[in-house]
Every structure is written in structure tokens, then in C-alpha cells.
Amino acid sequence: MRFVLILIALIALVWTGAAFWPGPGPVSHAWLEARVTDRAERIAHAGGLKRAPANTLEALAQAVEDGADVLEVDTQMTADGVLVLMHDDTVDRTTNGSGLVSELTLEQIVRLDAAFGYAGEDPDRFMRQGVRVPTLAEAFDAHRDMRWIAEIKPDTQEAALAMCQTIREAGMADRVMVGSFHDNAMAHFREACPEVATGMASNEALSFYIAARAGVADLHPTRAHALQIPPRASGLDVTHPRLIEAAHARGLLVQVWTINDPAEMEGLMARGVDGIITDRVDVMAGVQAG
């Protein structure tokens, strides 16, 4: 139903003659200007999910060693208002604890073993080694020279404001791009932190895809600087050449997740995507070196 409504709105836009209005100019931001331009960027998913426990300082360090250009992390907010690196809304799957992140204090969360649920390469290397859940601020401080994609997982204004505050206090406004699946959280973040680059939220990305396929993407209103998208969704080829061409015409980056297969990486690079979000930065580096 959402797809149909957006499609109808776009058809109406063109039908009423809006397609003849001038579109917006290309976006710009320091985050974009600092990117690698001669190849697709290597973006470490959750810091490098298959190489070390996800969303930990150990994973981030491994990703940097493997040649990552960008570190991608997920954030949840604790009961006392601190953003920590965590994908799920509970600690159950990736630690030896249980409960909602939002109902646990930072003091409780940092006591947990963040390698407890790890099933990637050489799990014995990390078990009972004091791997813990870091705060977003700690992660930034450990790799201040890197560029980041930080995702707001909770669909709340509080989490969006905490993200803004954390980035500002770290002095990382030019080094971080913020993403979220949630249109509500993204709207709150953009209102609070207009100086920080953002990706498209779900409905925004869907409508841009439809506009691109319809040939009217230059009319699509957005404050985003990138699309983080899967290669396929609901049977659709999300990385269709028309989408990539339309995004680039607006100055938007196209970053695809989560790709670990070398052949698929090569295919996406041939299509001209700007970045690949991967669990295996080392594999992608090998593909590009070859």
C-alpha cells in the first residue's frame, strides 16, 4: 500500500506539470569531499562482523587493520541516556546478559561479555578476554581519523538528540554520517544537527527509488547525502543503473549492504556504487587489489 501511494503521488506530480520545475542542485558536505573517489569505499559493517565481535573496539581495530575506509556501527541508548554500540534492542544475542538496552544502565552493560555470542573467525581468540560493549563516544575517540556511519536504532527523539550531542561533543561533525531506518528518528536528528551528513530513512529511500525509475528523481525532496540500500528488496533490483545514475546526478552516494561474496562485490563495483558495506573488509580489499 505504501508503495502504491508513493507511486500515485509521483505520477500526479508529473501529470500536473511539476516535472518542468527546476530541480535542486547537487548536495555537498565535508564527509563526501573526504571520500575515496577512485574505487568503491570499504565500509566495515558493525566494525567487521565476521572478523571480530560486532560493534566492539576489537572489531573496529581489526577493520582499520584490514583496510576499511569507513566504520559503520549501530547504536542503542541505555536507561541513563548513553549511546552504546549494539545492534539489537536487547543484549541477549551478543552478550552473556539479558534484557532491553533501554532498561539497563551503562554500568550494567559494560560488565557484560560482548564476545559471548560471537560465531565468526577464531571465536576462542575473544572469549573471556574482557571484550565489552563500548560507548559511541569511546569508539569515536579510538579512531578519530576515520570516517563513520552511525545508525540510530531506536525510533525515538531521545536517541536522535543523544546522537547529535555525542557527535558534537566529540568534534566529529565532519567525520560522521548518520543513518536510520526510521523516518521519525531521522527527522528529529536533522532538526537538531543540520551540520551532520545523513543517509536516507526507509520511506525516503523508497520514494527516491520510485522517482529514479520514473525519471523524475531531480524533483525528489531530500536532505540526505547518501542512500544505504540492499541490492534487492521485495523482488526489486534496488541497485538498478537508473537509480545509481539519478543518485549521482544529485551528488548522492550509493552504498550497498551487506555484501561478502567477491563476485557480487565485483558486480556492484562495475555498476558504479560508491561503497560496499561488508562483514569482510579484508575480502573486499583483496578483490580490489586483484
Side-chain angles (χ1 to χ4, degrees):
M1 178 59 70
R2 183 180 66 181
F3 180 93
V4 173
L5 291 174
I6 293 172
L7 182 59
I8 291 171
L10 285 167
I11 292 173
L13 187 69
V14 176
W15 185 262
T16 57
F20 297 102
W21 297 355
V27 299
S28 62
H29 192 277
W31 198 97
L32 305 180
E33 294 165 5
R35 74 187 189 277
V36 174
T37 57
D38 62 346
R39 57 170 172 78
E41 290 196 298
R42 307 162 191 160
I43 305 173
H45 180 229
L49 187 59
K50 297 297 184 183
R51 295 280 276 164
N55 289 305
T56 62
L57 296 180
E58 287 76 7
L60 297 172
Q62 184 65 61
V64 172
E65 182 179 330
D66 288 342
D69 303 300
V70 179
L71 300 174
E72 187 271 346
V73 292
D74 309 294
T75 66
Q76 297 281 354
M77 193 167 71
T78 66
D80 43 351
V82 180
L83 289 181
V84 294
L85 303 196
M86 179 74 61
H87 179 278
D88 299 355
D89 60 0
T90 75
V91 299
D92 299 41
R93 182 175 62 88
T94 56
T95 79
N96 60 338
S98 63
L100 291 166
V101 178
S102 61
E103 295 179 355
L104 297 170
T105 66
L106 178 61
E107 183 179 1
Q108 290 172 310
I109 288 177
V110 298
R111 294 174 183 168
L112 302 177
D113 184 350
F116 186 79
Y118 176 62
E121 283 187 348
D122 193 12
D124 292 340
R125 171 186 167 196
F126 301 100
M127 296 300 287
R128 293 177 292 279
Q129 296 300 312
V131 178
R132 61 179 181 81
V133 178
T135 67
L136 179 61
E138 286 178 304
F140 285 161
D141 193 53
H143 300 285
R144 299 189 63 82
D145 58 334
M146 294 294 291
R147 287 163 51 247
W148 297 75
I149 297 173
E151 184 174 344
I152 304 169
K153 284 295 185 182
D155 189 12
T156 66
Q157 181 179 11
E158 292 76 16
L161 295 181
M163 178 66 76
C164 180
Q165 181 179 353
T166 303
I167 292 171
R168 283 179 173 167
E169 289 180 350
M172 297 284 282
D174 289 345
R175 309 297 296 175
V176 182
M177 176 180 288
V178 170
S180 180
F181 283 107
H182 308 297
D183 296 88
N184 177 61
M186 183 57 74
H188 285 302
F189 179 80
R190 287 175 178 163
E191 181 69 21
C193 254
E195 72 273 22
V196 177
T198 57
M200 287 191 187
S202 294
N203 286 336
E204 193 177 10
L206 174 61
S207 60
F208 187 86
Y209 171 82
I210 296 169
R213 294 298 301 268
V216 292
D218 58 328
L219 300 173
H220 186 281
T222 181
R223 293 172 62 185
H225 300 81
L227 293 92
Q228 287 104 29
I229 54 176
R232 290 164 293 278
S234 302
L236 299 173
D237 177 7
V238 182
T239 60
H240 190 279
R242 191 174 293 175
L243 179 281
I244 296 173
E245 179 181 351
H248 288 169
R250 295 282 298 273
L252 301 167
L253 302 185
V254 178
Q255 301 160 332
V256 186
W257 51 266
T258 303
I259 311 301
N260 297 320
D261 177 70
E264 192 171 9
M265 289 176 182
E266 290 177 346
L268 289 167
M269 291 176 198
R271 282 197 169 191
V273 304
D274 302 287
I276 292 177
I277 301 171
T278 178
D279 300 324
R280 295 297 304 266
V281 170
D282 58 324
V283 171
M284 184 173 172
V287 168
Q288 292 177 321

